[in-house]
């Protein structure tokens, strides 16, 4: 039987709790994991004086696969986002966020099954920013004025929206390849090219060109504000969405909301040879240490990791066990109690117990 070396990053806030619950269910599948613990964010800052220690990158580069809990990003000051640093440094250019309904999850809809493919390395998240009042900001504003005739207020801060043909091409190709490999029918490119002609316009033109190589996949494009309206009215009309970074971030939370909330929305950050699996949700600091939040988004990220490792049958078995726990509603966290009559609310670790019990029952009845 295969054994896998995986970098395990518990993160902070609720991260350590959902990570521990996920580690337990993954081990209960019978697959062998050698976990290499790595710290990021506040947890690393306390120990090593930096939120992104070299050991973190080294471990992920060596093992090629990581399972990561959420990490807090201080707002407006403090260290830059660890998540952005990881994605940029390791060139994890594709963020894959499947949003599908598990019966029993609290949703207004019946058949949503959308995969959000978010470009992960550029756009307004490129990290290139100019602070109000700094000499380099003044120089930039002078250059803008000289070259465009536009006068930008001197008391402005500036964040650059950078979209390249190279990164647009590879993310759209990734989405179309994903659609092909997973028997999906349609890819929708999302943009605001009517306003931002040289950034979103380039993304759209590139997407249209790449899509010509995939005549078997239906391709369409939609403006991001129209997409929001259509998603909340009729989400089942969408299949695979491909978006630049910022829209992808926002729309994946929206899609998570369509299928039952952040507690059930997994994700993966993928590069050419490195994969980091993590839920969409953040570190929800107000719930930290209370054994309260839903570990299922992180467990489903673990299911995605198993598929990535080629452990398809085990992934299916774990996903079924999780789906049964959601459908029964007897051992769910507070966020899932709405849709099942007589749902019983339990804590994070009890959800893991329930999933493990389902796994044990399935291995007794269906040998794998
Ligand atoms: P959040 O996702 O942490 O929490 C928002 C709300 O969603 C919570 O208050 C809670 O009500 C609900 N929620 C989130 N996860 C849940 C779960 N597993 N079960 C049940 N309910 C859940 O978003 P936020 O409050 O905007 O961000 C908190 C911190 O997390 C910020 O510092 C942010 O930068 C960071 N963040 C990190 C990541 C990451 O590490 N990948 C992603 C998003 C946000």
């Amino acid at each position: 039987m295969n054994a896998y070396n995986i970098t395990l990053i518990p993160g902070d806030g609720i991260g350590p709790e959902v990570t521990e619950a996920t580690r337990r269910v993954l081990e209960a599948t019978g697959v062998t994991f050698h976990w290499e613990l790595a710290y990021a964010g506040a947890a690393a800052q306390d120990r090593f004086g930096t939120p992104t220690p070299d050991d973190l990158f080294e471990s992920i580069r060596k093992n090629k696969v990581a399972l990561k809990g959420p990490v807090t990003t201080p707002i407006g000051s403090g260290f830059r986002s660890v998540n952005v640093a990881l994605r940029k440094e390791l060139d994890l250019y594709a963020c894959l966020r499947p949003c599908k309904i598990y019966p029993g999850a609290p949703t207004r809809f019946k058949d949503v099954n959308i995969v959000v493919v978010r470009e992960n390395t550029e756009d307004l998240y490129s990290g290139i920013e100019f602070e109000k009042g700094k000499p380099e900001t003044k120089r930039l504003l002078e250059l803008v004025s000289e070259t465009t005739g536009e006068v930008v207020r001197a008391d402005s801060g500036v964040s650059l929206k950078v979209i390249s043909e190279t990164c647009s091409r590879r993310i759209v190709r990734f989405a179309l390849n994903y659609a092909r490999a997973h028997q999906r029918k349609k890819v929708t490119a999302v943009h605001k090219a009517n306003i931002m002609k040289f950034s979103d316009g380039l993304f759209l033109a590139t997407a249209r060109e790449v899509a010509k190589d995939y005549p078997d996949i239906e391709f369409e494009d939609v403006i991001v504000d129209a997409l929001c309206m259509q998603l909340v009215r009729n989400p089942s009309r969408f299949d695979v969405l491909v978006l630049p970074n910022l829209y992808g971030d926002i729309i994946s939370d929206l899609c998570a909301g369509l299928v039952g909330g952040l507690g059930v929305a997994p994700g993966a950050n993928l590069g050419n040879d490195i994969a980091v699996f993590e839920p969409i949700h953040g570190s929800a600091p107000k719930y930290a240490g209370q054994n309260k939040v839903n570990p299922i988004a992180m467990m489903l990220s673990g299911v995605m990791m198993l598929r990535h490792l080629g452990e398809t049958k085990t992934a299916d078995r774990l996903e079924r066990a999780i789906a049964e726990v959601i459908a029964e509603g007897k051992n769910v966290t507070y966020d899932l109690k709405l849709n099942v009559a007589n749902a019983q609310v339990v804590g994070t670790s009890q959800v893991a117990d329930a999933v493990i019990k389902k796994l044990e029952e399935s291995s007794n009845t269906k040998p794998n």
Side-chain angles (χ1 to χ4, degrees):
M1 188 184 274
N2 291 329
Y4 300 99
N5 297 328
I6 309 282
T7 301
L8 188 68
I9 308 161
D12 54 51
I14 58 170
E17 297 159 62
V18 293
T19 304
E20 176 57 12
T22 302
R23 187 192 61 75
R24 285 177 54 216
V25 300
L26 283 168
E27 289 187 354
T29 62
V31 172
T32 306
F33 297 98
H34 300 305
W35 305 107
E36 189 169 281
L37 202 59
Y39 295 96
Q45 183 79 39
D46 296 345
R47 280 182 176 78
F48 310 110
T50 163
T52 46
D54 290 344
D55 286 2
L56 172 69
F57 295 111
E58 270 166 34
S59 174
I60 302 174
R61 282 204 176 93
K62 183 180 64 182
N63 295 325
K64 307 265 186 273
V65 180
L67 183 64
K68 174 182 167 297
V71 172
T72 305
T73 306
I75 294 181
S77 61
F79 54 78
R80 277 187 184 278
S81 167
V82 169
N83 301 307
V84 173
L86 273 176
R87 291 163 195 171
K88 280 190 77 174
E89 177 71 25
L90 301 171
D91 201 20
L92 303 172
Y93 66 88
C95 180
L96 189 62
R97 294 178 161 178
C99 293
K100 81 171 182 189
I101 290 178
Y102 291 93
T107 166
R108 291 159 203 271
F109 301 100
K110 285 210 162 53
D111 58 348
V112 181
N113 189 348
I114 297 173
V115 175
V116 177
V117 177
R118 162 186 172 191
E119 203 290 325
N120 229 358
T121 60
E122 52 177 20
D123 193 3
L124 276 163
Y125 291 53
S126 60
I128 306 169
E129 299 200 284
F130 295 84
E131 193 177 341
K132 184 196 83 172
K134 286 276 162 86
E136 57 272 25
T137 312
K138 192 159 172 271
R139 277 176 59 200
L140 178 76
L141 299 188
E142 281 163 7
L143 179 71
V144 169
S145 166
E146 272 167 41
T147 50
T148 69
E150 297 285 342
V151 178
V152 183
R153 286 183 205 284
D155 60 353
S156 300
V158 179
S159 304
L160 287 193
K161 176 175 168 95
V162 180
I163 292 204
S164 67
E165 189 177 325
T166 304
C167 293
S168 301
R169 190 177 297 285
R170 69 178 177 176
I171 197 66
V172 175
R173 207 168 273 293
F174 177 97
L176 286 154
N177 285 336
Y178 179 92
R180 219 176 233 173
H182 295 83
Q183 291 77 46
R184 298 273 176 162
K185 303 236 163 343
K186 184 169 71 174
V187 171
T188 306
V190 184
H191 61 89
K192 190 82 186 174
N194 49 334
I195 306 293
M196 286 163 280
K197 296 186 192 310
F198 299 141
S199 49
D200 284 17
L202 180 61
F203 175 80
L204 176 60
T206 309
R208 284 181 173 152
E209 190 197 314
V210 173
K212 287 186 192 146
D213 294 340
Y214 297 78
D216 48 320
I217 308 287
E218 188 188 336
F219 176 81
E220 64 173 8
D221 71 88
V222 61
I223 292 178
V224 64
D225 39 351
L227 173 78
C228 291
M229 193 275 293
Q230 292 178 35
L231 272 174
V232 295
R233 281 177 65 85
N234 182 16
S236 48
R237 98 173 227 6
F238 294 102
D239 191 350
V240 176
L241 303 177
V242 60
L243 315 90
N245 208 338
L246 176 66
Y247 309 145
D249 191 6
I250 298 167
I251 296 298
S252 48
D253 268 40
L254 193 161
C255 289
L258 299 175
V259 300
L262 289 172
V264 290
N269 299 295
L270 306 167
N272 285 335
D273 62 348
I274 295 178
V276 177
F277 296 86
E278 62 175 344
I280 294 183
H281 66 71
S283 57
K286 70 178 178 192
Y287 293 127
Q290 295 177 27
N291 190 39
K292 183 175 168 99
V293 295
N294 198 344
I296 285 180
M298 180 109 184
M299 290 178 184
L300 290 171
S301 308
V303 169
M304 292 175 78
M305 184 180 85
L306 285 169
R307 293 220 164 90
H308 174 83
L309 294 171
E311 296 284 347
T312 313
K313 277 189 181 164
T314 308
D316 290 346
R317 210 175 118 232
L318 178 55
E319 188 178 12
R320 269 197 307 273
I322 294 168
E324 282 172 28
V325 168
I326 298 173
E328 278 180 13
K330 297 267 187 282
N331 293 284
V332 290
T333 45
Y334 72 97
D335 55 313
L336 293 191
K337 70 175 182 227
L338 291 177
N339 258 27
V340 180
N342 305 320
Q344 285 165 30
V345 171
V346 298
T348 311
S349 61
Q350 287 72 37
V351 176
D353 297 340
V355 172
I356 291 168
K357 195 152 174 263
K358 293 283 175 204
L359 281 170
E360 285 165 2
E361 285 164 15
S362 74
S363 60
N364 290 339
T365 50
K366 289 174 240 146
N368 221 340

